[in-house]
Amino acid sequence: MKKYIEPIIHILVWGLGYFLILNYTATIGDFRKESGPYWLAIGFGMLMNQTIFYATAFFLVPKFLRLKKIKALIISLLGGFILINLFESIIDYGYLVNFFSSASESFVVYLIYNSVVSFFILLVALSYSLIKYWIQNEKLKRVLLEEKLSTEMAFLKSKINPHFLFNVLNSLYAKSLTSNAPELADGIAKLAELMRYMVYETNDDKVALEKEIHHLKNFIEVYQLRISENDDVFINLVTKGDTKTVKISPMLLIPFVENAIKHGVNPKTKSVINISIETQESKLYFKVTNTIHKSTNGITDTSSGFGLDNLKKRLSILYPDTHTIETKEENGFFISLLNLKLD
C-alpha cells in the first residue's frame, strides 16, 4: 500500500492545482473566453510544468547526483528549462493566443510569464528531489550500519579472538616448517593472510584493487590444496591494467569465484575456471567463466561468502547506477560479468 501513497498524492496535488487555476481564470474579467476551450491552454501549461517537475525530480537530479556530476546536472537543468519554455511560449503565442485575454501581448511577454512559472516549478522539483535523495541516503546508511552492527554482534557471539586464531596459525606454520612440509606451511600462511584480510582490511570502505586481487589469489591457492594432482581441475586468473592506484569496496570479487568453484568443479571430469580482471579509464571489467556440471564436489558450504544475491544488494547500495552485473550460460560454461565505475 505504501508504494501507492506517493503517486496518489501527486495526482491529487496536480488535480487540485488544475481545478483551482481553471476556476480562478474562468471568473476574472477578460479570461471569460467563448471563442475557444481556454481550459485546453491551461491544461497545456500544466503539462509543460509537469514535464519540468518530473524530468528534474525523478530523472536528472537522481541520475547526476549519484554520479556526482554537478556541472552536468546544472547544464542539463538550464538547457531543459530554456527548451521547454521556448516550446511552450511558441505554442501559446502561435496556436493558443485566441483562448487568452492577452491576444495583443508580444511573444516576449509569453516567454517571461512562462519562465517565471517554470522557475517556481523547478525550485519545487529541486527541493522535492533533494529532500527525497537525502531521505534515501539516510535509509541506506541505516541499512549499512545495521548490517555492520549485526556482523559485529555475530562476531562477538563467536567468542573467538582473532589474535588467538592468528597465533594458532603461526604456531602451525612454524611446526610445518620444522616438519619439512613446505606446501603445508605455505597453505597455512595463505590461510592466515585470508583471515587477516577479512578481519582488518574489510573495515575500510575502499581498498586498493591490488589487495583485493591478492586476497583472491590466496583464496584460489588455499582451495587448490584440496585438489589432488590427478584431478583435472584448472583455475586461471589474468589481470590487465592499473591495479595499484584504483580502489574498490572490499570482498566484491570473491563471491563470484566461490560460486564458480561451488558449481563448476568436479574432480571426476575436466573443470575449468577462467577469471579475468581488467581496468580501463576508471572502469573495472570482471569476468568469471566455469564449466557446468550436473553434480559438483566444489565448496559445499552454502553459507560461505556473501553469496551472489547479497552481493547484488550490496552493489545497489555501494555502486548505485554505476555498475552492471550479468550471469548467463553459453556453450557449456556459466559466465558471470561485473562492470564497475571506480572512484
Side-chain angles (χ1 to χ4, degrees):
M1 182 63 185
K2 290 183 179 180
K3 65 180 180 180
Y4 298 111
I5 293 177
E6 186 177 9
I8 289 173
I9 292 175
H10 282 254
I11 292 171
L12 291 175
V13 170
W14 286 110
L16 180 62
Y18 181 72
F19 175 78
L20 293 175
I21 293 172
L22 197 63
N23 280 272
Y24 178 71
T25 57
T27 56
I28 57 172
D30 294 338
F31 270 96
R32 295 171 181 163
K33 284 292 179 181
E34 299 176 356
S35 59
Y38 73 94
W39 56 266
L40 180 63
I42 301 297
F44 175 73
M46 182 72 73
L47 178 63
M48 292 297 98
N49 290 330
Q50 288 174 333
T51 301
I52 291 175
F53 180 86
Y54 289 106
T56 300
F58 287 84
F59 178 70
L60 294 177
V61 173
K63 178 180 179 180
F64 289 113
L65 272 187
R66 285 173 180 170
L67 297 175
K68 299 179 181 179
K69 294 183 177 180
I70 306 301
K71 289 183 180 179
L73 174 61
I74 294 173
I75 293 172
S76 299
L77 289 175
L78 184 61
F81 179 82
I82 294 172
L83 289 175
I84 288 178
N85 280 290
L86 282 174
F87 175 73
E88 183 180 2
S89 300
I90 290 171
I91 298 298
D92 283 346
Y93 186 75
Y95 300 97
L96 303 178
V97 66
N98 294 327
F99 304 157
F100 291 100
S101 62
S102 53
S104 60
E105 293 176 349
S106 66
F107 172 79
V108 175
V109 173
Y110 279 94
L111 183 61
I112 293 174
Y113 171 77
N114 289 329
S115 297
V116 170
V117 176
S118 297
F119 183 71
F120 172 75
I121 297 296
L122 182 63
L123 289 179
V124 173
L126 282 171
S127 301
Y128 177 87
S129 58
L130 289 173
I131 292 173
K132 187 175 181 179
Y133 181 77
W134 178 80
I135 292 173
Q136 289 175 341
N137 274 351
E138 288 301 308
K139 286 182 179 179
L140 290 177
K141 287 179 182 178
R142 283 199 297 271
V143 169
L144 288 174
L145 180 60
E146 288 173 2
E147 288 184 355
K148 184 178 180 181
L149 290 174
S150 177
T151 302
E152 290 176 351
M153 183 60 69
F155 183 75
L156 289 173
K157 286 180 178 179
S158 68
K159 298 180 181 179
I160 298 178
N161 190 319
H163 295 291
F164 168 75
L165 292 177
F166 292 141
N167 289 334
V168 171
L169 288 173
N170 287 335
S171 297
L172 292 174
Y173 175 72
K175 288 181 179 180
S176 60
L177 285 178
T178 57
S179 300
N180 196 23
E183 290 186 5
L184 179 59
D186 185 58
I188 293 173
K190 293 189 184 306
L191 180 59
E193 280 191 54
L194 282 174
M195 291 183 58
R196 189 171 289 106
Y197 183 86
M198 289 187 289
V199 171
Y200 297 116
E201 297 291 346
T202 54
N203 291 326
D204 299 327
D205 292 333
K206 297 286 176 68
V207 297
L209 179 59
E210 185 179 42
K211 288 187 177 180
E212 184 78 356
I213 293 173
H214 183 68
H215 175 68
L216 204 58
K217 290 179 178 178
N218 281 339
F219 175 81
I220 293 170
E221 290 181 17
V222 168
Y223 173 76
Q224 286 177 324
L225 293 175
R226 298 173 56 183
I227 302 173
S228 168
E229 293 182 359
N230 298 324
D231 293 338
D232 203 5
V233 178
F234 301 92
I235 303 177
N236 308 303
L237 190 152
V238 177
T239 62
K240 184 178 179 181
D242 178 24
T243 61
K244 294 183 179 180
T245 60
V246 295
K247 291 191 173 184
I248 188 174
S249 294
M251 303 298 290
L252 281 183
L253 306 184
I254 195 72
F256 292 97
V257 179
E258 284 187 331
N259 190 68
I261 292 175
K262 177 181 177 182
H263 298 288
V265 173
N266 186 345
K268 297 179 181 179
T269 59
K270 184 176 182 179
S271 303
V272 179
I273 296 176
N274 290 314
I275 305 164
S276 170
I277 303 172
E278 181 179 356
T279 59
Q280 194 178 88
E281 297 180 354
S282 299
K283 290 184 179 179
L284 171 71
Y285 301 95
F286 182 60
K287 180 180 181 181
V288 179
T289 65
N290 61 269
T291 46
I292 300 174
H293 301 294
K294 293 182 180 180
S295 61
T296 62
N297 292 315
I299 293 177
T300 56
D301 182 6
T302 57
S303 65
S304 64
F306 292 100
L308 293 184
D309 290 336
N310 286 336
L311 177 65
K312 290 177 182 178
K313 294 177 183 177
R314 193 164 171 243
L315 283 168
S316 67
I317 294 173
L318 297 173
Y319 294 90
D321 299 330
T322 58
H323 80 279
T324 59
I325 184 170
E326 179 185 358
T327 56
K328 59 184 179 180
E329 293 184 14
E330 191 176 282
N331 300 325
F333 282 87
F334 185 81
I335 303 173
S336 301
L337 300 168
L338 173 65
N339 296 336
L340 280 182
K341 184 176 180 182
L342 302 171
D343 295 337

